[in-house]
Amino acid sequence: MLNPELLAILRSVDTPTVCNALEHVMGGRTAEGFTSKPVIAMDPALPAIVGYARTAKLRSSAPAREAATIVRKRRLDYYAYIAAPTGPVAVVIEDEDERPGLGAFWGEVNVAIHKGLGISGVLTNGSMRDLGTVDKGFQVLAGAVRPSHAFVHLTALDVPVSVFGLSIAPGDLIHADRHGAVVIRPEHLESLAWAI
């Protein structure tokens, strides 16, 4: 787990600074471990998201093929999964549709729920909506802005995901802001505050 001092330092800097610090800790540059495609920040002025990844996948281009009871249970299981008290949590959701982001999972309802559960923020290659009406202070980093939720439904929980060219496993520590995201490996934590 992150100690409170390092968590405060990580929240006070942007993601490029963390990438630079990781290069010092690793002893050189790398071309992996960070996003390689642009993200859209719901509020570019918000500080970085720092947290351990709780992951899921979704689709929105067609209705779920499972019974409504299964879809509902998966949604409730998802909320229980992300609410488990294990330090700072960042949600990472992969939209696995051929056209990611057709329907928005992220709007005023899910932002309010996630903020109420104490989630640090979300990183998704999917879309967001309700700009300007969502609760303040919760960051959504998405791939698109869309007006409708279409047929959005969760398809998997607690699985490896890939968003913006970055592979993220459940439990990975991520740092993300309007620039993109980076995974911080446990072996780099000890020297990270010094490097920053």
Side-chain angles (χ1 to χ4, degrees), residues 76-91:
L76 294 174
D77 289 347
Y78 165 78
Y79 290 133
Y81 164 62
I82 64 169
T86 57
V89 171
V91 168

Side-chain angles (χ1 to χ4, degrees), residues 26 33 37 61 69 74 83 86 106 116 119 130 167 177 182:
M26 294 184 298
K37 296 176 184 171
S61 61
T69 54
R74 186 176 299 120
T86 57
W106 297 99
I119 305 304
D130 300 328
S167 295
D177 68 10
V182 63

Side-chain angles (χ1 to χ4, degrees), residues 112-147:
I113 291 169
H114 286 73
K115 185 177 180 185
L117 291 173
I119 305 304
S120 299
V122 63
L123 176 68
T124 181
N125 66 326
S127 62
M128 59 185 164
R129 67 183 198 160
D130 300 328
L131 305 181
T133 60
V134 298
D135 289 351
K136 303 294 183 212
F138 185 86
Q139 184 66 281
V140 177
L141 301 171
V145 177
R146 298 286 185 264

Side-chain angles (χ1 to χ4, degrees), residues 49-191:
I49 299 166
V50 181
Y52 291 96
R54 297 289 174 134
T55 61
K57 292 186 179 187
L58 62 75
R59 290 187 183 277
S60 66
S61 61
R65 293 183 179 168
E66 301 161 309
T69 54
I70 293 171
V71 173
R72 177 181 161 86
K73 181 179 182 323
R74 186 176 299 120
R75 176 75 67 102
L76 294 174
D77 289 347
Y78 165 78
Y79 290 133
Y81 164 62
I82 64 169
T86 57
V89 171
V91 168
V92 183
I93 296 186
E94 177 184 352
D95 184 329
E96 55 185 350
D97 274 328
E98 187 175 321
R99 290 188 314 162
L102 177 66
F105 184 75
W106 297 99
E108 61 184 330
V109 172
N110 265 315
V111 166
I113 291 169
H114 286 73
K115 185 177 180 185
L117 291 173
I119 305 304
S120 299
V122 63
L123 176 68
T124 181
N125 66 326
S127 62
M128 59 185 164
R129 67 183 198 160
D130 300 328
L131 305 181
T133 60
V134 298
D135 289 351
K136 303 294 183 212
F138 185 86
Q139 184 66 281
V140 177
L141 301 171
V145 177
R146 298 286 185 264
S148 174
H149 47 68
F151 298 106
V152 72
H153 60 280
L154 295 164
T155 58
L157 312 177
D158 197 24
V159 293
V161 294
S162 179
V163 293
F164 306 109
L166 175 62
S167 295
I168 300 174
D172 278 351
L173 178 61
I174 66 164
H175 189 284
D177 68 10
R178 63 188 179 160
H179 300 94
V182 63
V183 172
I184 302 170
R185 299 289 172 214
E187 61 270 22
H188 301 141
L189 285 175
E190 186 176 331
S191 302

Side-chain angles (χ1 to χ4, degrees), residues 6-17:
L6 180 54
L7 179 58
I9 291 169
L10 287 170
R11 286 182 171 155
S12 73
V13 297
D14 63 16
T15 303
T17 298

